[in-house]
Amino acid sequence: ARPGSVLHPPGPVLHPPGPVLHPPGQALLCTPPTRPGPALYSTHQARPCSVLHPPGQALLCTPPTRPDLVLHLYSTHQARPCTPPALPSQDIRNTVGNIPMEWYQDYPHIGYNLDGKKIFKPIRNKDELDEFLDKMENPDYWRTVHDKTTASDIRLSDEQVDLVHRLQKGQFGDVNFNEYEPSVDFFTNEVMIHPVTNRPQDKRSFIPSLIEKEKVSKLVHAIKMGWIKPRKPKETTPQYYDLWAKEDPNAILGRHKMHVPAPKMRLPGHEESYNPPPEYLLTEEERMAWEQQDAEDRKLPFLPQKHSCLRAVPAFSRFIHERFERCLDLYLCPRQRKMRVNVNPEDLIPKLPKPKDLQPFPTTMSLVYIGHSSLVRSISASPTGQWLVSGSDDCTVRFWEVNTGRCMKTLEVGGAVKSVAWNPNPAVCLVAVCFESTVLLLNPGLGDRLVVSSTDQLITSYEPPEEDKEQAVTWALSEGPEHDNGHRLTLTHPKAVKQVVWHGKGDYLASVMPDNSSNLQVLIHQVSKRRTQNPFRKNKGLVQCVSFHPLRPYFFVATQRYVRVYNLIKQELTKKLMTNCKWISSMAIHPGGDNLICGSYDCRLAWFDLDLSTKPYKMLRHHKKALRGVAYHKHYPLFASGADDGSVIICHGMVYNDLLQNPLIVPVKVLKGHQITHDLGVLDVTFHPTQPWVFSSGADATIRLFT
Amino acid sequence: MSQLQTRFFTDNKKYSVDDVPFSIPAASEVQELSNVINKLLEAKNGSHSQIEFDFLVRGQFLRTSLSNHMEAEGISTEDVVEIEYVERFTAPQPEECMMHDDWISSVEADSEWILTGSYDKTARIWSLEGKAVMTVAGHTDVVKDVAWVRRDGLTSLLLTASLDQTILLWEWNSERNKLKARHCCRGHAGSVDTIATDPTRTKFCSGSWDKMLKIWSAGTIGLWVVWYSVLNWPTWLNKTEEICSASWDHTIRLWDAETGSVKTTLTGSKVFNHISYSPLCRRLASGSTDRHVRLWDPRSKDGSLVLLSLTSHSGWVTAVKWAPSHEHQLVSGSLDNLVKLWDTRSCKTPLYDVSAHEDKVLCVDWTDSRLMLSGGADNKLYTYRYTACETDAGA
């Protein structure tokens, strides 16, 4: 290597001032004295480093006797002696024997001489450039070989080269060896009259062998018994391996085989003949007709003509034209079989049981409850199933007898009724009605007299507590004519109330006052103690509807997009359900308490399995317009949804006790009957508490019973 | 197959014809067959006047052409067809329309008087000619059911059941037109929707929304036995110790009135609105919310066995009533505003549809004196006169 040269392909060289060594794979920076800028060498061209040193390091040595060779960086596996090569002993011989020479690879010497001194390897400081120059210039380069045992180059003599040539040709190494010498027979093939042994044959060689006889008789017996069967004759018909036997015809390669042969041309018939039978010749009229026809409509593309002899037949003028059309036909017409996937549309539909196996469910409209004069916002059935209460925008609350459709009672209230709810406790006869900012508790006086009177007693038996706490609403007891009308308690809220809902036990009542800007949106009232509390400190969005869990102390709050489940005892958020809806309109809890349905204004109904996930278990998009009301049946596996398209859809929603089985949801019936008024159809749906019947109230001021 | 071999026969000796096979066109309908019989009778008896007949092939009324009917019923056309003929039940003629102030919830008529219960909290007594005789006012709520108990000369005992959970027993003297409330039966914890008196007219039974069926003794008012069921529509069987009740829990139960135990339970699939028992054919007819009138055999022990479904109504069947003097006929009222007159031998189509009402029909009844009654939500009580065939009476 020439120090100072900038680029050294093998084995990088470092220049005197400030060599900087970097970890492997990084660059090597050196500043040659003659050049102002640093040169950057990549070390990844450097050979792999020695095992003796940590990888990436190198051996740095400064030969003292070679001031021109200022600094050499030797990769240790091609390490060279650091001493100047002043004593190149010519009689290097192998003193180590036939050992793997890699053992001495990393040493500057190979073996030891008789004095116990190291025998150093001759210096090999040739780089590939030198090697190349050597190859170009040295005429003996071709006969120079490297001897690994002594690590020296040896020039082969003429005899040695000759021997190599002979061996390469496959000849014997020895020139004097004759491989075609005549052969000499050492042993004779002739029968001798005096053999080496002349022993007479044994007696047993004349006597049949008993052992063999036994074996043969065994075989014969086996053949007789059919244990051994004759070999099957080999099939003489040649068998070929069918390369394409298992090939899938639908595979890409298989498609190429789906060749559709081009249609063959019709062979010429009598009309093409030069002398056709007279019936093939066209009459004058036919000829006229033929000429008037379009070329595509003609039955024959030519006119049959009669010639006296074959010699008189002229050249066919349309020949080129016809050939050209044929060619066009052959190459323009796509002759391939089209692979169509025939999917039976029935297979795409999930396997669901037939609706008729899921009876009973409501199928026909049976009764229409007529009496309201404006849209009926809300309905609720009494726990016995004998009565129905409805609240309407005409500021009345009506009580109906379910099985006849008779309006038993009409109560005027001071505003459009937003929501009604019949107390689910059969021992209490109370109906909560909300209009404007008032929640009214009514005693309709229907049903058992004892229950009616005990309800009144329950309300009047209230004793006010000693310290009067400030409450969000004011409780007022109705008296006088209002009391005779059935009014019992009036809860005046600070804001407009949209929904009232009872707890299953019938003592607690929740009211919703949607308001985007305050935390006072939901209030829970206790009727027996006339107490009101606001369960939420923070505003989590516009509350749409709330509901109590039928069994456990949970409280469901539906905001525009989420349903939050709160534990009322621990006072914490238990779950937050993402509905994937734009705006929730209604919500219903399964009587088992583990499932929930949400109707939304964007025509969707989401079924949640609370044990499964916070995402909907199923989204149903059966309605054409916004959903307004959803309901579960208390006993039958049914749920219903009413929408602005005027229809009520009944679905079978079976919830299994087995936790591993997901709920089965089958739409079973679309019930129509409500007229669409002002773009509003069905506003509320509710099920009869004992029968598989559904009530729906609509914007057409009617309530309908489907059975 | 244009001609059929037929043989006509009848139970009525007055109209009997010779027992000879006739060959008649297969396409002939009731009117043509009726003409044939009339011709035969005229030939036999010169003074015969034209009478409309109805024809029964193997116990089923002929309603289409003879060939169609036989094809539908699977009767061979090779043999001689036996055709029974009866005098046609003439259409009931509307007679009176009695206006009420409110919906009519119930009606019961006997041979002289009609008793109606109304939603205006009163019951009314009318004469058969449609004259209001008496207003029974005493309930504080809607009268849901009424019943005659018995009549001793001019004094009658009558019952009214109401939504105010009481049943009132009244004594009414028709001559002096005096009404006296005899007893007030309290005990139900729900509206009493239905009452039924037993054939001996000494006991009655009431069904209520409190899921109870109570038996009362009409002589000395006292609670008899109490049973549990859902809203019952009781009816007495002819034997005094059996009560049948149809209920909203989809069952018809047969009770032993002495012990108060269920003898038989017949299970249907829908809510029963009303039930009626005919001592003539010993069948129960039930009206239910699935628009069918069903016939049951109360003697069958193995539960749900429907003998026949009469299907024509398009709304809930709210009332059914067997004919008092005919074993095959019954009348049903429905929420589709129709009253239908049925013959059980023609279960596909009713004999007559009576479409007098403009609103829901809530109650029907008929009397021995050839009067059919129906009341409904249009506040009108209609009576219809019908002529029963003499032979059918007591058949």
Side-chain angles (χ1 to χ4, degrees), chain A residues 364 366-367 384-387 401 403-406 408 447-449 636 688 691 693 705 707, chain B residues 102-103 119 140-142 144 163-165 189 191 209 248 250 271 289 291 316 335 360 362:
Chain A
T364 45
S366 298
L367 272 172
T384 56
Q386 194 182 4
W387 312 106
E401 192 180 36
N403 54 351
T404 54
R406 164 87 182 184
M408 301 302 287
D448 191 355
R449 301 283 140 142
Y636 291 95
H688 190 277
Q691 303 295 336
W693 301 346
L705 168 64
T707 61
Chain B
D102 211 333
W103 293 13
Y119 272 76
T140 57
D141 215 328
V142 173
K144 296 293 285 222
L163 202 68
D164 61 8
Q165 307 174 14
S191 73
W209 263 96
W248 270 40
H250 307 181
V271 164
T289 57
R291 313 187 295 278
W316 288 8
L335 291 186
K360 301 180 269 280
L362 297 178

Side-chain angles (χ1 to χ4, degrees), chain A residues 411-573:
Chain A
L411 289 181
E412 292 268 345
V413 294
V417 179
K418 292 278 188 281
S419 172
V420 290
W422 203 298
N423 194 318
N425 186 355
V428 179
C429 184
L430 270 182
V431 175
V433 175
C434 77
F435 58 94
E436 288 170 1
S437 62
T438 311
V439 172
L440 196 62
L441 297 184
L442 295 170
N443 187 347
L446 296 167
D448 191 355
R449 301 283 140 142
L450 282 173
V451 171
V452 169
S453 56
S454 70
T455 305
D456 283 348
Q457 211 171 355
L458 182 84
I459 284 172
T460 50
S461 67
Y462 164 74
E463 286 172 10
E466 274 118 43
E467 76 268 32
D468 206 8
K469 273 208 297 193
E470 190 67 28
Q471 299 205 97
V473 302
T474 52
W475 292 71
L477 196 64
S478 305
E479 278 163 2
E482 281 193 336
H483 185 274
D484 299 339
N485 267 339
H487 293 215
R488 290 297 178 266
L489 283 169
T490 311
L491 287 75
T492 312
H493 286 63
K495 281 174 288 193
V497 186
K498 191 189 162 199
Q499 191 209 1
V500 279
V501 64
W502 286 98
H503 181 254
K505 294 257 164 52
D507 194 19
Y508 288 94
L509 170 79
S511 59
V512 182
M513 299 170 286
D515 183 359
N516 230 343
S517 57
S518 109
N519 65 339
L520 191 69
Q521 291 198 85
V522 180
L523 290 175
I524 298 182
H525 315 282
Q526 191 178 7
V527 174
S528 59
K529 293 189 178 157
R530 296 195 195 170
R531 217 171 50 180
T532 298
Q533 47 188 339
N534 176 15
F536 302 117
R537 239 177 261 118
K538 271 189 207 151
N539 174 18
K540 291 271 178 66
L542 196 62
V543 175
Q544 298 300 310
C545 48
V546 296
S547 184
F548 286 98
H549 192 285
L551 308 169
R552 285 190 281 277
Y554 291 147
F555 191 60
F556 296 80
V557 179
T559 54
Q560 271 184 32
R561 284 161 163 269
Y562 304 104
V563 177
R564 289 180 174 83
V565 187
Y566 294 96
N567 188 332
L568 289 176
I569 287 183
K570 290 185 187 165
Q571 304 199 331
E572 63 181 20
L573 179 71

Side-chain angles (χ1 to χ4, degrees), chain A residues 176-470:
Chain A
N176 301 322
F177 180 73
N178 183 9
E179 64 215 85
Y180 301 114
E181 273 184 15
S183 65
V184 180
D185 273 347
F186 291 99
F187 300 99
T188 176
N189 59 343
E190 289 165 8
V191 178
M192 292 183 287
I193 52 167
H194 295 297
V196 182
T197 62
N198 203 7
R199 211 164 147 253
Q201 279 179 320
D202 285 328
K203 185 187 176 184
R204 64 169 177 262
S205 62
F206 302 104
I207 299 170
S209 162
L210 280 176
I211 299 164
E212 274 181 10
K213 190 187 169 192
E214 211 166 288
K215 272 188 184 170
V216 167
S217 66
K218 267 186 186 170
L219 285 173
V220 167
H221 180 66
I223 289 168
K224 274 185 185 167
M225 298 301 287
W227 299 334
I228 297 178
K229 278 177 186 150
R231 274 203 197 107
K232 272 184 195 166
K234 270 192 181 172
E235 281 184 20
T236 48
T237 51
Q239 288 192 335
Y240 301 107
Y241 173 66
D242 186 0
L243 182 62
W244 294 282
K246 286 177 184 169
E247 192 168 316
D248 179 15
N250 297 327
I252 293 173
L253 281 173
R255 271 184 215 165
H256 293 298
K257 295 199 300 187
M258 305 277 281
H259 171 65
V260 181
K264 287 204 170 116
M265 286 193 82
R266 201 174 62 88
L267 291 172
H270 287 296
E271 57 269 25
E272 275 97 348
S273 164
Y274 76 96
N275 187 11
E279 63 266 29
Y280 288 93
L281 289 170
L282 298 185
T283 61
E284 201 55 39
E285 293 152 22
E286 283 171 337
R287 182 190 298 271
M288 294 288 284
W290 187 88
E291 275 164 4
Q292 277 170 7
Q293 270 177 331
D294 286 333
E296 287 99 30
D297 300 337
R298 285 170 184 164
K299 207 180 249 179
L300 286 173
F302 61 94
L303 281 170
Q305 274 176 339
K306 190 183 171 101
H307 302 283
S308 55
C309 59
L310 196 55
R311 269 186 303 158
V313 176
F316 182 36
S317 60
R318 281 181 47 82
F319 178 73
I320 297 291
H321 193 81
E322 203 175 60
R323 287 291 95 194
F324 176 70
E325 282 195 339
R326 169 73 178 160
C327 289
L328 276 188
D329 195 21
L330 285 180
Y331 94 92
L332 282 182
C333 176
R335 269 182 252 291
Q336 65 187 30
R337 217 160 278 170
K338 282 211 170 143
M339 299 301 291
R340 284 209 183 85
V341 183
N342 286 324
V343 179
N344 190 1
E346 304 274 310
D347 297 344
L348 299 174
I349 301 169
K351 292 269 174 292
L352 289 175
K354 280 183 187 152
K356 79 170 185 221
D357 302 335
L358 301 173
Q359 275 173 341
F361 55 81
T363 51
T364 45
M365 188 172 73
S366 298
L367 272 172
V368 185
Y369 302 83
I370 297 168
H372 280 294
S373 59
S374 183
L375 44 105
V376 186
R377 290 250 181 225
S378 177
I379 46 175
S380 179
S382 76
T384 56
Q386 194 182 4
W387 312 106
L388 181 76
V389 63
S390 66
S392 157
D393 269 12
D394 59 6
C395 307
T396 58
V397 176
R398 280 174 186 262
F399 294 91
W400 309 86
E401 192 180 36
V402 164
N403 54 351
T404 54
R406 164 87 182 184
C407 176
M408 301 302 287
K409 213 172 224 189
T410 308
L411 289 181
E412 292 268 345
V413 294
V417 179
K418 292 278 188 281
S419 172
V420 290
W422 203 298
N423 194 318
N425 186 355
V428 179
C429 184
L430 270 182
V431 175
V433 175
C434 77
F435 58 94
E436 288 170 1
S437 62
T438 311
V439 172
L440 196 62
L441 297 184
L442 295 170
N443 187 347
L446 296 167
D448 191 355
R449 301 283 140 142
L450 282 173
V451 171
V452 169
S453 56
S454 70
T455 305
D456 283 348
Q457 211 171 355
L458 182 84
I459 284 172
T460 50
S461 67
Y462 164 74
E463 286 172 10
E466 274 118 43
E467 76 268 32
D468 206 8
K469 273 208 297 193
E470 190 67 28

